[in-house]
Amino acid sequence: MLGVWRLQLLREISRRGSIKAAAEAMSITPSAVSQQLAILEREAGVELLEKSGRRVRLTDAAQLLVRHADTITGAIAAAEADLASMQQLVIGTLRVAAFPTAARAILPSVMTALSRQHPALRVTLRDLEAAESLTALQMDEIDLAIVDEYDEPARVSDGGLEFCEFMRDPLYLALPPEESSTPSPALRASPVAGAAVRLSDYRDSFWIMDTEDSHLGQVTLRACRSSGFEPHVRSNCKDFSVIIALVEAGLGVGMLPGLAIHDRPVRASIHPTEPPLARRIASVIRPERRSHPMIVSALAELERFGAAYAQPRLS
Amino acid sequence: MLGVWRLQLLREISRRGSIKAAAEAMSITPSAVSQQLAILEREAGVELLEKSGRRVRLTDAAQLLVRHADTITGAIAAAEADLASMQQLVIGTLRVAAFPTAARAILPSVMTALSRQHPALRVTLRDLEAAESLTALQMDEIDLAIVDEYDEPARVSDGGLEFCEFMRDPLYLALPPEESSTPSPALRASPVAGAAVRLSDYRDSFWIMDTEDSHLGQVTLRACRSSGFEPHVRSNCKDFSVIIALVEAGLGVGMLPGLAIHDRPVRASIHPTEPPLARRIASVIRPERRSHPMIVSALAELERFGAAYAQPRLS
DNA sequence: TCAGCTAGGAAGCTGAACTTGATTTGCGTA
DNA sequence: TACGCAAATCAAGTTCAGCTTCCTAGCTGA
């Protein structure tokens, strides 16, 4: 019979593209992987690897086996999840990845709540952009990914992952504080704090934008254009704290997601837009772990955070 | 991670009901099974076996694991089948079980055809009644079962097995040969050879029946009753050859399936009934092996036999 | 009550799977 | 073209999982 361990090694080679990388991922030596695959080839009766330069390439038969290895591994994981859910035991290590803003604004409270509820649970956190965390999830390097989505749910190549939107994060327009000398060319009365504003009212302001290749940058740009103007971009900054600082200094206006100013005092005037803009925040898991109590608890906690966050609160 | 080998041992205990039996099935010692299950309990973190007299009983958690073990084993088997079908290799050992009549009438020609087509294929045959071969299939003691079905497809507890009817076997009424002195109380002109007859025409004959608990016996009895009479049963015989001999000796009439007189000279007058009666003959496999070339070839050969058999042929 | 059967623990053995270290082969670079 | 590095693989030695054998404990039926 085909050895499951060997199949998992093959799977890892397929994921990571080289024997060395697979070996590192499974924390054994490349030599061991090479030997195990030689055995698997005997078991299967087919060539599985062919040399391609100084690397290896998977044959068709190997790719077939990788697909099967995925379902086999999934079935084992499902058994473990069922077992854990039967015992209602929330123990072990939950590996979470979140995009940076979420890692700062959401995860601290969620992690403390989780470890208060389940003292035996260890939660580790990495901050990864959405796309990175999805591949990490597929690589089985993390158990739970928190991603942001700006456009409509694309999820074409979701690779069998399970998405669950647990909150929406409104996008706000940040205006320089009242007292600051606004360098905006147009003089205007500042709107009432917290009142919705139209982007087109700031067609003549300088704009502090996220980087062009970021989702938020593109969404902002598109929103300005569909409001009928091309923004005067004064600077492109990746880090929201920098954007906040520039707006606070009165150097322009900028779009900020709510989480970026959540639980953080900001000396700027924050306004929802009309029409409202928002990004969706979703949890992503591997479906076979859906019933794992560790996952169930974490998702519940995220839902709770999302519900609390939905209460309007403007600084 | 849960050890697959251990899960399979647990599965075998569940199937066979004792550690000893499971150990024999896997050809290791009971002690080894006991040790592996102790390890599996540690892996799972749950009690899996509880003593019940001098045997063991599976806990709920264990039964949950058995179900998962089934799907895992199925997934591995599917991988192997896919692998073999990719290579189009028909090698190995095909273990067949068939009910006795089929074992005599169908399997010899099918087996010779198979081993002619695929010299590397070994075919082994056991004769088992339908119910026995189904459990053997679930026990993974055979790869292919040939069963007969008299009633409408029940298949309630088919246990995830896959049935495929490949032929129908008509039931014939066997009458004593012309020249024999018929001890039947009623004098009548014998029907034209091969012509359909009505059971009610033989309400006054003696009947040679299959055993009462056999399917054929019950079907015959029911047919007689629905033709409006209770047959005078002269003897109940399990073996069709005995029934044939008795009819040949002129001691009565009897129902015989076509296969029982297939390719075998019979000195009796064989007649289809009006309305016609038949049993269905089906192949049964485990679904995960459906695409295995060994199975594919065997099923094709059975279909071929069924098609040839369907040509009317009466002795 | 005892003989027979099943489950399971202890000790020792075997082989599968790993590591280490040397070798081969391909690729980029001086 | 030669050199060095990187990746795979081979050979030899080592470790440990999983087996057997032998034994004990406990249930069951004669």
Side-chain angles (χ1 to χ4, degrees):
Chain A
M1 201 179 67
L2 294 172
V4 174
W5 170 240
R6 293 183 251 281
L7 284 176
Q8 287 175 343
L9 291 179
L10 179 66
R11 180 166 169 260
E12 218 58 34
I13 294 177
S14 158
R15 293 252 183 296
R16 313 197 180 260
S18 84
I19 290 189
K20 182 173 159 56
E24 273 164 12
M26 308 299 257
S27 39
I28 55 177
T29 58
S31 179
V33 177
S34 182
Q35 291 173 48
Q36 289 304 305
L37 262 95
I39 297 175
L40 186 59
E41 286 191 336
R42 268 197 288 115
E43 285 178 344
V46 206
E47 292 264 306
L48 294 175
L49 301 179
E50 49 192 15
K51 292 185 214 293
S52 156
R54 59 182 166 191
R55 321 202 112 205
V56 287
R57 215 154 42 82
L58 298 203
T59 63
D60 290 348
Q63 289 174 10
L64 177 78
L65 273 187
V66 167
R67 285 195 293 278
H68 280 290
D70 284 335
T71 75
I72 292 168
T73 312
I76 297 175
E80 287 168 339
D82 256 23
L83 207 54
S85 83
M86 165 172 263
Q87 317 176 66
Q88 294 295 358
L89 268 184
V90 185
I91 54 174
T93 303
L94 176 69
R95 300 161 303 169
V96 183
F99 58 95
T101 311
R104 188 194 64 72
I106 302 181
L107 270 297
S109 75
V110 168
M111 286 169 70
T112 51
L114 277 177
S115 47
R116 185 164 309 141
Q117 286 170 48
H118 311 293
L121 179 67
R122 265 174 44 87
V123 184
T124 67
L125 174 64
R126 298 168 58 184
D127 59 324
L128 296 176
E129 294 302 333
E132 294 172 311
S133 57
L134 291 186
T135 65
L137 198 57
Q138 283 174 325
M139 292 284 208
D140 202 17
E141 291 169 353
I142 58 173
D143 304 305
L144 170 64
I146 314 291
V147 302
D148 53 345
E149 303 177 303
Y150 287 89
D151 309 308
E152 275 319 293
R155 297 169 192 172
V156 209
S157 66
D158 58 1
L161 298 177
E162 191 167 308
F163 287 70
C164 172
E165 174 183 331
F166 64 92
M167 61 179 276
R168 294 185 149 257
D169 188 23
L171 303 183
Y172 295 107
L173 186 64
L175 306 178
E178 295 272 341
E179 65 274 21
S180 90
S181 65
T182 170
S184 168
L187 284 173
R188 70 177 60 258
S190 291
V192 179
V197 297
R198 275 204 298 277
L199 294 189
S200 55
D201 291 341
Y202 299 88
R203 57 170 69 239
D204 300 322
S205 306
F206 284 118
W207 283 73
I208 317 293
M209 300 283 275
D210 202 341
T211 52
E212 294 235 351
D213 58 338
S214 73
H215 283 293
L216 177 58
Q218 289 183 7
V219 168
T220 307
L221 207 54
R222 230 179 303 154
C224 289
R225 284 173 183 156
S226 71
S227 293
F229 69 99
E230 187 73 21
H232 307 297
V233 176
R234 170 162 274 173
S235 60
N236 288 102
C237 307
K238 192 179 174 59
D239 193 326
F240 292 141
S241 338
V242 180
I243 300 182
I244 294 172
L246 294 181
V247 172
E248 284 178 337
L251 295 172
V253 303
M255 290 295 293
L256 286 173
L259 282 178
I261 51 176
H262 175 68
D263 272 353
R264 170 196 281 191
V266 177
R267 285 182 301 94
S269 167
I270 304 297
H271 302 272
T273 62
E274 185 54 41
L277 293 172
R279 60 176 173 174
R280 285 166 299 104
I281 316 265
S283 56
V284 195
I285 57 170
R286 304 166 75 87
E288 64 263 24
R289 301 251 174 89
R290 190 187 321 146
S291 59
H292 198 296
M294 200 159 76
I295 299 287
V296 171
S297 296
L299 294 190
E301 209 50 52
L302 288 173
E303 288 284 353
R304 193 165 307 145
F305 183 96
Y309 185 77
Q311 315 297 346
R313 163 225 326 259
L314 293 168
S315 65
Chain B
M1 200 179 64
L2 293 172
V4 174
W5 171 239
R6 292 183 252 279
L7 285 175
Q8 288 175 343
L9 290 179
L10 180 64
R11 179 165 169 262
E12 218 57 33
I13 293 177
S14 157
R15 292 253 182 298
R16 312 197 181 259
S18 84
I19 291 190
K20 181 172 158 61
E24 272 164 12
M26 307 301 257
S27 37
I28 56 178
T29 59
S31 180
V33 176
S34 184
Q35 291 172 47
Q36 288 304 305
L37 260 94
I39 298 175
L40 186 59
E41 287 191 335
R42 269 196 287 114
E43 284 178 345
V46 207
E47 291 265 308
L48 295 175
L49 301 179
E50 48 191 19
K51 292 185 211 295
S52 156
R54 57 184 169 192
R55 323 201 110 203
V56 287
R57 217 156 41 82
L58 298 202
T59 64
D60 290 349
Q63 289 174 11
L64 176 78
L65 273 187
V66 166
R67 284 195 293 279
H68 280 291
D70 284 335
T71 75
I72 292 168
T73 312
I76 297 175
E80 287 168 339
D82 256 23
L83 207 54
S85 83
M86 165 171 262
Q87 318 176 64
Q88 293 296 352
L89 268 185
V90 184
I91 53 174
T93 303
L94 177 69
R95 300 161 302 169
V96 184
F99 57 96
T101 313
R104 189 194 63 73
I106 304 181
L107 269 298
S109 76
V110 167
M111 285 169 72
T112 51
L114 277 176
S115 48
R116 185 164 306 139
Q117 287 171 47
H118 310 294
L121 180 66
R122 264 173 46 86
V123 184
T124 67
L125 174 63
R126 298 168 60 184
D127 60 326
L128 295 177
E129 294 303 333
E132 293 173 313
S133 57
L134 292 186
T135 64
L137 197 58
Q138 283 174 325
M139 293 280 208
D140 203 18
E141 291 169 353
I142 58 173
D143 303 305
L144 171 64
I146 315 291
V147 301
D148 53 347
E149 302 176 303
Y150 287 89
D151 309 306
E152 277 316 295
R155 295 171 192 171
V156 207
S157 66
D158 59 0
L161 299 177
E162 192 167 307
F163 287 71
C164 173
E165 173 183 331
F166 64 92
M167 61 179 274
R168 291 184 152 256
D169 188 22
L171 303 183
Y172 296 108
L173 187 65
L175 304 179
E178 295 273 342
E179 67 274 19
S180 92
S181 68
T182 167
S184 171
L187 285 172
R188 69 176 64 260
S190 292
V192 179
V197 298
R198 275 206 297 276
L199 294 189
S200 55
D201 291 341
Y202 298 88
R203 57 170 68 239
D204 299 322
S205 305
F206 284 118
W207 284 72
I208 317 291
M209 301 281 277
D210 201 341
T211 53
E212 293 234 352
D213 58 336
S214 72
H215 282 293
L216 178 56
Q218 289 183 7
V219 167
T220 307
L221 207 54
R222 228 179 305 154
C224 289
R225 285 175 182 157
S226 72
S227 294
F229 69 98
E230 186 72 20
H232 306 298
V233 176
R234 170 163 274 172
S235 60
N236 287 102
C237 307
K238 192 179 173 63
D239 193 326
F240 292 140
S241 339
V242 179
I243 300 183
I244 295 173
L246 295 181
V247 173
E248 284 178 337
L251 295 172
V253 304
M255 291 293 294
L256 287 172
L259 282 176
I261 50 175
H262 175 68
D263 273 354
R264 168 196 284 191
V266 176
R267 288 181 299 97
S269 171
I270 304 298
H271 302 271
T273 62
E274 183 55 41
L277 292 170
R279 60 175 175 176
R280 285 166 298 105
I281 315 258
S283 55
V284 194
I285 57 170
R286 302 165 75 88
E288 64 263 24
R289 300 250 174 88
R290 191 186 320 147
S291 59
H292 198 296
M294 201 160 76
I295 299 288
V296 171
S297 298
L299 295 189
E301 209 49 53
L302 289 173
E303 288 283 352
R304 193 165 308 143
F305 183 94
Y309 184 76
Q311 317 297 342
R313 166 225 323 260
L314 294 171
S315 66

